[in-house]
Amino acid sequence: MSSESRQQAVIEAVRQWQTRLLQLDRRNALLYFAMGKRGVALRVIEADALLEQLAASRSGLAFAYAERARVGSGELFDVPSDTEHEAPEPQVRVRPGDLNTDLAPLELQKRLGGLSKRNRVWQEEQGLNVLFIVLGFLRWVDEDQEPACSPILLVPCDLTRESPRDPYILVGEESDDPVVNPTLRHKLATAAGITLPEFGDETIAEYLAAVERLVADRENWSVENSIVVATFPFSKLAMWEDLDLMALTGVTHPLVRRLAGDADARVEEPVDRAVAIPKDNVGLQGAKLDDLLDVRDQHTVVDADFSQLRAIELARSGANLVIHGPPGTGKSQTIANIVATLLAEGRRVLFVSEKTAALDVVKRRLTEVGLGAFCLDLHSDRGRKTSVYAQLRAALDQPPADLQEFPYERLVARRDHLNSIVRALHEVRQPLGLSVFAVHGRVAAIGDVLRLNIVVHDVSSLDANRLRCIQDAVRRIADRAMEFREHHTSRWRSLGPTGPSPRLADAVRNDLTQVRTAVDATVHAVGIAATVCGVVSPRTLLEVTQLVCLLTHLKNAQGGVPAQWLEPGGLARMIHEK
C-alpha cells in the first residue's frame, strides 16, 4: 500500500470517529430543535446588523429588564382581576433594552436566567460554552418522513449581568464568526445527499439565500430567517472540530496512525533511556527502585510512591503509557510530578482534559509549589486573548527564584536509612520463608475473620513445612464449611465452637468489661483499707502504691500492731499525744 493510500485510510478512520461522536437522533437539538423554553427569539433585527452591533459594543446588548412594582408606592399598583377565580397579573416597571423579543418581561427574565444557568454549569464542569445565537433555521423532512427544524449558523455568545437588579447583557465571544451547524451538515450529506457550503465572506442573508436555493426542489423544505438565543449542550462538538482539523491537515503522528489502523506505523520505545525501568512492578518491592534512580535526577514536587515514580520515569523517557486507577489514588499528583519533572528538563508539556476540575487540581498543585507562572491555562474562557495576555504578563513579571545549593548528601543519607528499614521488612526470613511485611499483610487480611481457638504448640520451632501443613488442614476445614456447621454426625464436630466466636470488636468489648469490673473492685478495697488506716482514700496510682507500702510495714512489724491502735479513736489519740 502506498503512503497516499495509507494516509487516506487514516483520514477515513478519523471521519468514522467523527460520525460516532455525533448524536443523530431526535434528542439532539442541533437537528431537532423545539423552541419551548429552550431559547429566546429576537425580533425586528437583521442578522448582519446584530453581529455588527455586538462587535461594536464593548459592554454588549441589553435585554429589557422587568421590575415588579411595589404596591402602594405611588407609582404602579396591582390591577384587580376581572373574575374572582383568576389571580391578578402583577404590575411591572419595564426598563427598555437594546434587544426586543415577543416574551412578556417577567417571562423573558426567567428564561434568560435559565439559559445563563445552564451555560454556567457547562462552563464550570467541562469548560464548554453551550450558549449560541442561531442565525436561520432549516425546516426539512428526515428519512422517516418526520418534520425537523435545525439551526443553520451558530455564533457563540454569553449572558452576563452585574447584579440581580440589572438586565441581562448579550455578549459576543471574541471568535464570533458564524459556524455552519456541523451535525446538520453531516446529517444532510449522509441522509439527503446535500452538502451545505462553508461560510465565507458573504453576509448572513446571502448565505441563507444560498441554502434556500440548495433545497428549493425539496417538498416541505424551507429556510426560516429567524434569530434565536439558545443552549445546545453538545459536549462532543469541540472534539468533532478537532478531528475535522486533523482530517483536513493530515495525520502524521505514528501513534494516531496506529490507532486508526495503519499497521505500518510503529510506535517504538526509546532506546537511549538512561534507566532500564521494568515493564511491571515485579522485583521492585523493598525500595529496589531507588537503586535504579539517582535522587539528583528526581524532580517530584509532591508525594509519590514507587509505582508513581516508575510512571514518572517512563513518561520522562518518552514511553507511551496509560495510568489508571480509582479516585483518590494519586493520579493528579502523578500528573503534577510529570509536569514538574519535564519542566526541570526544559521541555514543554500539553495537558488536556474534558473536565475543568481535573485541570484546576493539577494547576493548583503546581501553583502551590511555585510553578504556577510556568503554566499557560487555555481552557474555556481562560483561552481568551485578555486572559492569555494577563498570564503571559504575570509570568514575565515573576521574580527570579532564589536558587540555593540543595543538601543532596543529607537527603541520600536519610533515604538510605529509610530504605534499610523497608528492606528489612521485606527480607525473607527463615524458618518460615516469609518476610515481616508478608506476615503483617496476611494478618491484616484476616482481621475480620471469626476467631477460632486452634492451639499451635512450639511456635518457636514453626517452619515453612509445618506452617504449610497447618494451612492445608485449615483449608480442608474451610472446604467443608456446611458440614462443619450443620452436620452433627460429622467427624469434624469436635472442632465446633463450644460457644459463640466473637469478632475482634466483641472480644475487645468483653475484655474491657472485665477490666472495668476488676478496677471497680480494686478501688472499693483500697477505700476500705484507707479508712482503717485513717488516711484519705487514694486518688492516683502513686498514692495507692504508698498505701500498699504502709500496709506492708504494718504487716511486717515485730510483735504485731498494738491493740490500742485498733481501738475506736486510737488514731486520733496518737495524733493528739504527738
Side-chain angles (χ1 to χ4, degrees), residues 82-150:
D82 295 337
T83 64
E84 296 180 357
H85 302 287
E86 292 183 1
E89 290 290 337
Q91 293 293 314
V92 297
R93 180 173 55 192
V94 179
R95 190 187 310 167
D98 304 313
L99 301 171
N100 297 320
T101 70
D102 293 328
L103 295 175
L106 290 179
E107 176 63 23
L108 170 65
Q109 206 154 281
K110 181 179 179 181
R111 192 169 300 184
L112 291 174
L115 294 176
S116 177
K117 181 179 179 180
R118 284 195 293 272
N119 188 45
R120 184 173 62 254
V121 168
W122 276 82
Q123 285 184 334
E124 291 175 353
E125 293 185 355
Q126 298 193 17
L128 292 176
N129 179 79
V130 297
L131 187 66
F132 293 90
I133 303 173
V134 179
L135 306 175
F137 287 88
L138 175 65
R139 295 194 175 274
W140 56 291
V141 180
D142 64 13
E143 61 269 25
D144 298 325
Q145 302 304 310
E146 294 290 336
C149 179
S150 307

Side-chain angles (χ1 to χ4, degrees), residues 181-414:
N181 182 351
T183 307
L184 176 63
R185 192 178 187 190
H186 175 81
K187 181 70 173 181
L188 294 181
T190 55
I194 297 176
T195 302
L196 291 180
E198 291 284 356
F199 182 81
D201 296 331
E202 67 267 42
T203 63
I204 304 297
E206 291 172 348
Y207 182 85
L208 296 180
V211 175
E212 190 168 18
R213 290 192 299 270
L214 195 62
V215 302
D217 58 343
R218 304 276 178 152
E219 185 178 358
N220 296 325
W221 287 48
S222 62
V223 173
E224 184 178 294
N225 292 310
S226 56
I227 304 175
V228 173
V229 178
T231 55
F232 297 93
F234 186 48
S235 60
K236 296 180 176 62
L237 180 59
M239 289 187 284
W240 192 95
E241 293 174 346
D242 290 341
L243 289 174
D244 192 49
L245 181 62
M246 184 185 299
L248 293 176
T249 58
V251 179
T252 58
H253 196 285
L255 182 59
V256 179
R257 289 167 50 204
R258 189 62 181 268
L259 291 175
D262 186 358
D264 295 330
R266 299 293 180 183
V267 183
E268 301 290 346
E269 293 288 343
V271 296
D272 56 344
R273 293 170 54 190
V275 178
I277 300 298
K279 293 292 184 180
D280 50 35
N281 293 334
V282 176
L284 295 181
Q285 291 80 4
K288 300 291 181 53
L289 185 63
D290 285 348
D291 295 336
L292 304 175
L293 302 179
D294 188 349
V295 69
R296 292 174 175 80
D297 295 332
Q298 305 307 305
H299 304 286
T300 55
V301 292
V302 293
D303 294 341
D305 61 17
F306 87 98
S307 64
Q308 294 169 332
L309 287 174
R310 175 176 168 271
I312 295 167
E313 186 63 26
L314 288 172
R316 174 189 182 186
S317 64
N320 299 297
L321 69 155
V322 176
I323 302 174
H324 63 91
T329 53
K331 294 186 297 297
S332 63
Q333 289 178 241
T334 305
I335 295 172
N337 279 328
I338 290 175
V339 173
T341 299
L342 297 179
L343 283 177
E345 297 180 349
R347 298 161 69 179
R348 292 175 295 177
V349 183
L350 174 62
F351 175 38
V352 297
S353 174
E354 184 181 4
K355 298 290 186 179
T356 306
L359 297 173
D360 292 340
V361 168
V362 175
K363 175 68 182 301
R364 175 175 54 80
R365 291 185 183 277
L366 293 173
T367 301
E368 289 174 351
V369 296
L371 298 179
F374 297 95
C375 302
L376 181 60
D377 195 348
L378 299 177
H379 197 269
S380 63
D381 58 345
R382 286 166 285 190
R384 297 177 179 177
K385 291 181 181 179
T386 54
S387 176
V388 172
Y389 290 157
Q391 294 182 67
L392 293 176
R393 185 180 301 109
L396 293 174
D397 295 340
Q398 181 80 4
D402 184 14
L403 299 178
Q404 298 180 358
E405 186 67 23
F406 189 81
Y408 282 106
E409 291 74 13
R410 188 172 61 183
L411 177 61
V412 171
R414 181 168 299 181

Side-chain angles (χ1 to χ4, degrees), residues 160-200:
T160 63
R161 68 191 307 194
E162 294 185 2
S163 72
R165 298 184 64 85
D166 290 302
Y168 280 99
I169 306 295
L170 181 66
V171 181
E173 298 289 342
E174 291 182 356
S175 57
D176 56 357
D177 294 332
V179 177
V180 181
N181 182 351
T183 307
L184 176 63
R185 192 178 187 190
H186 175 81
K187 181 70 173 181
L188 294 181
T190 55
I194 297 176
T195 302
L196 291 180
E198 291 284 356
F199 182 81

Side-chain angles (χ1 to χ4, degrees), residues 70 182 189 464 503 535:
R70 292 173 296 177
R503 293 182 180 271
V535 297

Side-chain angles (χ1 to χ4, degrees), residues 6-54:
R6 288 197 298 267
Q7 181 68 14
Q8 186 60 35
V10 173
I11 293 176
E12 290 293 334
V14 173
R15 293 301 186 190
Q16 292 179 8
W17 296 344
Q18 287 182 286
T19 302
R20 294 173 187 173
L21 283 174
L22 296 178
Q23 185 182 24
L24 302 178
D25 55 22
R26 301 191 70 87
R27 292 174 297 174
N28 193 342
L30 289 172
L31 290 178
Y32 301 91
F33 179 78
M35 175 67 77
K37 296 183 178 180
R38 295 182 58 91
V40 173
L42 306 182
R43 61 179 176 85
V44 194
I45 191 171
E46 293 291 336
D48 294 289
L50 174 63
L51 295 185
E52 290 177 1
Q53 292 179 22
L54 283 175

